[in-house]
Amino acid sequence: MDILSKIQLHREEEQRLVWEGTFAEYLDILKERPHVAQSAHSRVYNMIKDAGIDTFNGQKKYRFFDNQIFGLEEAIERLVEEYFHPAAKRLDVRKRILLLMGPVSGGKSTLVTMLKRGLEQYSKTDSGAVYAIKGCPMHEDPLHLIPHHLRQDFFEEYGVRIEGSLSPLNTMRLEKEYGNRIEDVIVERIFFSEDKRTGIGTFSPSDPKSQDIADLTGSIDFSTIAEYGSESDPRAYRFDGELNKANRGMMEFQEMLKCDEKFLWHLLSLTQEGNFKAGRFALISADELIVAHTNEAEYRSFIANKKNEALHSRIIVMAVPYNLKVSEEERIYEKMIQASDMSHVHIAPHALRVAAIFSILTRLKDSKKQGMDLLKKMRLYDGEIVEGFNHVDLEELKREFADEGMSGIDPRYIINRISSTIIRKEVPSINALDVLRSLKDGLDHHASISKEDKERYVNYISVARKEYDEIAKKEVQKAFVYSYEESAVTLMDNYLDNVEAYCNKNKLRDPLTGEEMSPDEKLMRSIEEQIGISENAKKAFREEILIRISAYARKGKKFNYQSHERLREAIQKKLFADLKDVVKITTSSKTPDESQLKKINEVIARLVDEHGYNTTSANELLRYVGSLLNR
Ligand SMILES: Nc1ncnc2c1ncn2[C@@H]1O[C@H](COP(=O)(O)OP(=O)(O)OP(=O)(O)O)[C@@H](O)[C@H]1O
Ligand SMILES: [Mg+2]
């Protein structure tokens, strides 16, 4: 479909959703679909819930945030279950300001933006539909029209609770325009839109000295005072502050704690009773989610000030730490690069991974746990199997430091370094080493890093470099084997057959000749030696493997060469040891002969076809690995 047809379709779809009718007709809708009267908080909660929830190892993952926010499952689960869910149930937390607190560029704004864009879409669906009194600048809930003394009866008839009083403006309109006939008041369906200032607002503080509360709650319209005779006539007031406009939806309060404290005190009644004061009017009921965000330093100085106690107790603080999983961090960079004008640049495999390894290391804290180090912790956090540790250890590690993830290198810094590399290198391809070099150079110019941190960070860069060396060697060696997986599986099957025969004191049968033969001790040892199993320990090792296999069989799981971390390592090392000389000679030869050249071209082709390299980065990789193997 071409773009013009799509535009037309879109317009028709918008037309189809439009609805306008009297309050009496609105009640018919309400009878059928009581959820249209839900509160703003409940709408946000349902929006998140309706998108679906997956559970992995007891960890909930809300699909609503998929593809935009990575690695923050725990923070999001806390946010949903400790704030949105109870708020949707009309518990008191909904009157509190939600304050997201986290380190710079850790995804706070992204999270809030997703909620805003999500609500805009959700208000166009049946489950997210919103209705309002027509002509009201605050899109007031039509149910506010029901007088307080009839609300119990209303609840009994419709099962819907009403909260909040009719605003001064609509009270006056009801009288003057509708002669107090509530049933005639015109109601319309509204669609949230930040651009049109409907149900979504953003407030960002200006100069604290001149900050005017009118930006939040609206102001007197001096041009109309003459017409209406008095400042206290609501028609002479413009209800166009962010709080007014965001009514029924949500307001983002950017950098809230940068505001002057006196300014923030205006929020007290809002956070206590769910209403706010505008001009000379009775309190105005607000039904909106207020999300603010701030960083830790500002938050600390805010709570250190005794004068802020009252407001502090009316704020729900949710930590949004940095992601701590390497593979999720990689996805963050991929996303950021996709969204930038660097997306045409070839980024060699593992380039983002090494950057991610580096930044995660800067965010992790050293555990006191026996036998644990930062690299192992990093792997465990990323869901890898680390010999000797299990999920119980993982949970313990996560609980060890409450503020882990609140400091370290931020994603924006990494992306800035990557883009400066691209610009400097002036080639359409960068690799892991380019990235590491650039990260290191950048540390010298990074203003906000202390000297100690800098030393620590430089060290992490070399740790990341070592990780990369291993990855690079494996990658090349794998590309040298025609089919790595197949060879690994064959070698392991062969090993296991021998181990079984050895432990059961059986003979093996030669598959070709059918002759009986003793277990191949030489083969078994050549594999075990790769991981330092001594002659004395070999029996225990072999028995342990058989036990593992039978445990797998009992659970109906298939044992493969990935099932046993050390065996996998041994098999891999053995395969690589057999290859090492070939790889070494081929990759480092300055004047490769014909057969070496053929092999190199084959390997490069495989790296390009199967592993995501281009010819430049594949050649760079081969040269690098050649130099590594010759050290
Ligand atoms: N966990 C994450 N998942 C996905 N993207 C992330 C994550 N953390 C950071 N980002 C990306 O990093 C960039 C900065 O994030 P964002 O602006 O949301 O951070 P912030 O917490 O609001 O930072 P600041 O305190 O500087 O305002 C964005 O491009 C965002 O997409
Ligand atoms: Mg932000």
Side-chain angles (χ1 to χ4, degrees):
M1 206 195 297
D2 65 26
I3 192 68
L4 289 178
S5 324
K6 281 185 187 159
I7 291 173
Q8 183 180 351
L9 208 71
H10 176 73
R11 192 167 46 238
E12 284 165 9
E13 179 61 18
E14 304 241 292
Q15 278 304 318
R16 193 182 62 79
L17 294 177
V18 170
W19 183 90
E20 187 177 309
T22 61
F23 182 69
E25 285 163 336
Y26 172 64
L27 288 185
D28 291 337
I29 294 182
L30 190 63
K31 192 140 240 171
E32 257 178 60
R33 295 154 47 209
H35 66 261
V36 300
Q38 68 188 323
S39 69
H41 286 86
S42 158
R43 198 171 291 109
V44 173
Y45 174 67
N46 284 323
M47 163 180 83
I48 297 173
K49 195 171 59 95
D50 286 358
I53 308 170
D54 298 311
T55 310
F56 297 106
N57 302 328
Q59 174 68 60
K60 281 203 182 124
K61 194 166 188 311
Y62 289 88
R63 281 192 211 151
F64 179 81
F65 298 99
D66 270 3
N67 302 324
Q68 285 293 327
I69 296 196
F70 302 111
L72 296 186
E73 289 77 19
E74 285 161 52
I76 288 176
E77 182 173 356
R78 229 178 310 120
L79 186 63
V80 175
E81 310 225 313
E82 289 175 25
Y83 184 81
F84 289 129
H85 193 188
K89 295 233 169 311
R90 293 182 185 264
L91 292 172
D92 236 30
V93 290
R94 79 182 192 288
K95 291 179 189 156
R96 311 278 180 272
I97 294 177
L98 174 63
L99 178 63
L100 304 178
M101 193 259 294
V104 287
S105 150
K108 301 181 294 297
S109 300
T110 309
L111 213 145
V112 177
T113 306
M114 285 195 80
L115 293 176
K116 294 202 284 193
R117 296 294 89 79
L119 274 177
E120 289 174 347
Q121 290 311 315
Y122 196 57
S123 70
K124 293 182 191 156
T125 65
D126 279 348
S127 355
V130 196
Y131 293 81
I133 296 178
K134 188 171 169 149
C136 169
M138 289 184 59
H139 343 286
E140 186 162 17
D141 184 349
L143 294 185
H144 285 179
L145 289 163
I146 307 260
H148 282 276
H149 66 275
L150 291 179
R151 290 187 179 181
Q152 186 54 33
D153 296 336
F154 181 83
F155 176 67
E156 275 154 29
E157 201 176 328
Y158 286 84
V160 174
R161 272 197 206 292
I162 307 173
E163 251 181 288
S165 312
L166 194 62
S167 68
L169 179 64
N170 286 322
T171 307
M172 177 172 262
R173 289 178 62 205
L174 177 62
E175 189 190 319
K176 300 224 149 112
E177 290 174 34
Y178 295 103
N180 282 327
R181 286 185 55 83
I182 291 173
E183 56 274 43
D184 293 346
V185 173
I186 302 294
V187 172
E188 63 176 349
R189 179 164 179 190
I190 57 166
F191 304 96
F192 290 155
S193 155
E194 179 153 28
D195 296 340
K196 295 184 184 147
R197 301 192 75 208
T198 310
I200 310 275
T202 303
F203 180 79
S204 48
S206 54
D207 175 11
K209 296 279 167 297
S210 62
Q211 185 80 66
D212 188 352
I213 191 70
D215 298 342
L216 273 183
T217 58
S219 57
I220 293 169
D221 183 352
F222 288 101
S223 66
T224 54
I225 292 182
E227 186 182 336
Y228 296 115
S230 138
E231 275 184 31
S232 50
D233 188 311
R235 290 167 302 179
Y237 192 88
R238 282 215 296 250
F239 294 91
D240 64 352
E242 289 306 321
L243 277 175
N244 309 109
K245 289 297 173 187
N247 192 32
R248 313 296 301 283
M250 69 179 273
M251 186 188 96
E252 173 182 6
F253 200 147
Q254 294 183 338
E255 309 294 344
M256 180 169 100
L257 302 183
K258 287 202 172 71
C259 281
D260 194 54
E261 54 188 34
K262 294 206 186 60
F263 183 82
L264 293 178
W265 293 341
H266 286 288
L267 298 172
L268 281 178
S269 93
L270 184 71
T271 51
Q272 190 164 23
E273 312 301 340
N275 48 34
F276 62 89
K277 184 92 181 116
R280 299 188 175 170
F281 309 110
L283 292 169
I284 297 177
S285 311
D287 168 31
E288 59 198 276
L289 162 69
I290 299 181
V291 194
H293 38 89
T294 186
N295 63 43
E296 205 179 3
E298 269 164 1
Y299 177 68
R300 297 265 163 256
S301 79
F302 171 76
I303 53 173
N305 184 348
K306 279 270 176 258
K307 284 193 201 150
N308 290 327
E309 251 172 22
L311 187 58
H312 182 216
S313 73
R314 292 172 172 84
I315 290 176
I316 301 271
V317 182
M318 287 282 164
V320 182
Y322 285 137
N323 155 55
L324 295 176
K325 298 187 182 119
V326 173
S327 34
E328 300 291 320
E329 189 72 10
E330 247 185 294
R331 296 177 71 194
I332 297 178
Y333 303 157
E334 273 161 18
K335 179 192 78 172
M336 291 171 84
I337 288 172
Q338 277 304 316
S340 74
D341 50 9
M342 305 185 270
S343 51
H344 63 285
V345 176
H346 171 74
I347 299 187
H350 315 300
L352 299 183
R353 186 163 190 89
V354 293
I357 290 176
F358 166 69
S359 36
I360 301 297
L361 286 173
T362 66
R363 297 170 191 172
L364 294 181
K365 295 203 186 307
D366 242 323
S367 167
K368 292 193 187 54
K369 212 177 206 355
Q370 186 97 49
M372 181 53 59
D373 61 34
L374 225 46
L375 268 177
K376 282 187 191 158
K377 186 172 183 177
M378 179 189 90
R379 296 211 166 91
L380 271 174
Y381 273 23
D382 203 19
E384 285 182 42
I385 298 167
V386 176
E387 201 79 15
F389 298 97
N390 57 26
H391 70 277
V392 180
D393 299 297
L394 176 61
E395 291 310 312
E396 279 173 18
L397 284 174
K398 285 184 182 167
R399 278 197 302 270
E400 196 175 343
F401 302 98
D403 60 343
E404 191 165 50
M406 296 304 266
S407 61
I409 291 284
D410 62 298
R412 221 181 267 138
Y413 173 76
I414 302 282
I415 293 299
N416 290 346
R417 293 313 304 169
I418 291 178
S419 53
S420 83
T421 315
I422 289 172
I423 289 162
R424 200 153 17 93
K425 209 181 165 195
E426 283 181 344
V427 288
S429 157
I430 57 166
N431 62 35
L433 295 173
D434 297 325
V435 170
L436 285 177
R437 210 173 297 122
S438 170
L439 288 176
K440 192 163 176 193
D441 293 345
L443 287 179
D444 293 331
H445 311 296
H446 201 303
S448 61
I449 299 180
S450 70
K451 196 156 168 280
E452 295 102 73
D453 278 348
K454 198 173 287 173
E455 270 166 32
R456 213 156 47 88
Y457 290 180
V458 169
N459 181 33
Y460 293 149
I461 288 182
S462 47
V463 175
R465 161 83 179 264
K466 285 198 195 96
E467 288 287 292
Y468 175 65
D469 290 352
E470 288 310 306
I471 297 174
K473 275 193 271 183
K474 270 184 207 164
E475 188 108 291
V476 169
Q477 283 164 320
K478 277 187 187 178
F480 261 83
V481 190
Y482 172 63
S483 166
Y484 174 79
E485 290 298 312
E486 218 168 274
S487 315
V489 170
T490 313
L491 184 58
M492 188 193 73
D493 282 346
N494 200 352
Y495 175 74
L496 291 181
D497 286 344
N498 281 288
V499 163
E500 201 172 10
Y502 166 88
C503 291
N504 297 335
K505 303 200 169 51
N506 282 344
K507 295 263 180 215
L508 287 150
R509 205 169 280 283
D510 187 309
L512 290 180
T513 60
E515 268 175 61
E516 285 209 328
M517 18 173 236
S518 304
D520 186 345
E521 195 55 37
K522 203 162 146 239
L523 173 86
M524 287 187 286
R525 288 304 293 147
S526 73
I527 291 173
E528 290 153 3
E529 277 161 2
Q530 300 293 334
I531 50 168
I533 306 274
S534 68
E535 189 63 33
N536 290 335
K538 72 178 186 191
K539 187 156 182 282
F541 182 73
R542 292 172 190 175
E543 282 166 358
E544 197 254 322
I545 287 179
L546 283 193
I547 290 169
R548 181 83 66 101
I549 294 177
S550 75
Y552 264 68
R554 220 174 43 240
K555 289 188 202 140
K557 285 205 284 183
K558 203 173 146 37
F559 184 93
N560 64 27
Y561 87 101
Q562 311 271 12
S563 311
H564 192 292
E565 179 62 20
R566 296 193 68 207
L567 179 57
R568 185 180 71 93
E569 192 189 333
I571 295 281
Q572 186 169 58
K573 284 193 167 155
K574 166 74 177 144
L575 277 177
F576 290 170
D578 295 349
L579 265 174
K580 189 169 173 187
D581 287 338
V582 186
V583 177
K584 193 162 140 181
I585 294 166
T586 318
T587 53
S588 58
S589 166
K590 293 233 164 17
T591 48
D593 63 26
E594 202 171 312
S595 78
Q596 284 171 335
L597 213 50
K598 186 162 164 275
K599 188 74 200 171
I600 289 178
N601 287 334
E602 237 177 67
V603 169
I604 288 186
R606 206 167 291 137
L607 286 171
V608 172
D609 294 344
E610 292 167 25
H611 300 274
Y613 289 81
N614 68 6
T615 38
T616 314
S617 61
N619 272 299
E620 285 168 347
L621 176 75
L622 277 193
R623 263 202 310 274
Y624 181 61
V625 170
S627 76
L628 279 181
L629 292 178
N630 278 303
R631 271 186 200 162

